[in-house]
Amino acid sequence: MTKRGSSESGFTLIEMLVALSVFSIAALALLRLDAFAIATAADVDARAMAELVVQNEAALAATDAGAVVRGNSRRHVTNGGRTFLVQRTVTPTDDQRLVRIDISAIAQGAPGRAMLTMVKRVQ
């Protein structure tokens, strides 16, 4: 039988198992972080698209030469391959020459949502 000398070095089986378990825990944590980053990027993308829809609707409301109809309206808008529910609320202000227009867009099947308030002069 040979005895192990003090000059020999190496890892024992237990040390290898501990190192592998620590590595696997770190790898699992990185995988969960990656999935969270992907989900967050999708949320940001949906919110940005909803903001674009709201700004487009505000531009349409600002440039509409027709009479402003007070009250609530809802319609579906498709933009960028996604469908949004656009809600528009027109209310009078203290100044009879102005109306307040609240516009919101909610993405169908995604967490994207945006809101915008504007004031428009009426004739």
Side-chain angles (χ1 to χ4, degrees):
M1 224 161 110
T2 60
K3 228 179 186 182
R4 192 175 186 195
S6 62
S7 65
E8 290 185 44
S9 63
F11 295 107
T12 64
L13 182 59
I14 301 268
E15 291 171 333
M16 289 300 289
L17 289 175
V18 168
L20 283 174
S21 63
V22 169
F23 177 74
S24 64
I25 290 171
L28 286 174
L30 287 175
L31 284 176
R32 289 195 65 199
L33 181 63
D34 186 44
F36 178 74
I38 291 170
T40 302
D43 291 349
V44 168
D45 181 51
R47 206 171 309 129
M49 187 62 74
E51 281 286 332
L52 184 64
V53 169
V54 165
Q55 290 173 3
N56 287 345
E57 291 295 317
L60 288 173
T63 58
D64 187 11
V68 177
V69 179
R70 291 180 172 90
N72 297 326
S73 64
R74 298 171 78 170
R75 68 187 187 109
H76 290 279
V77 173
T78 302
N79 194 346
R82 296 183 183 148
T83 303
F84 295 88
L85 173 64
V86 176
Q87 298 176 337
R88 185 167 142 176
T89 304
V90 180
T91 55
T93 63
D94 291 338
D95 187 346
Q96 297 299 320
R97 298 171 295 168
L98 303 173
V99 292
R100 174 182 169 163
I101 303 174
D102 296 309
I103 304 170
S104 67
I106 303 167
Q108 302 294 304
R113 169 175 283 190
M115 295 180 71
L116 182 115
T117 299
M118 63 179 283
V119 176
K120 181 177 179 179
R121 185 181 178 123
V122 293
Q123 282 83 15

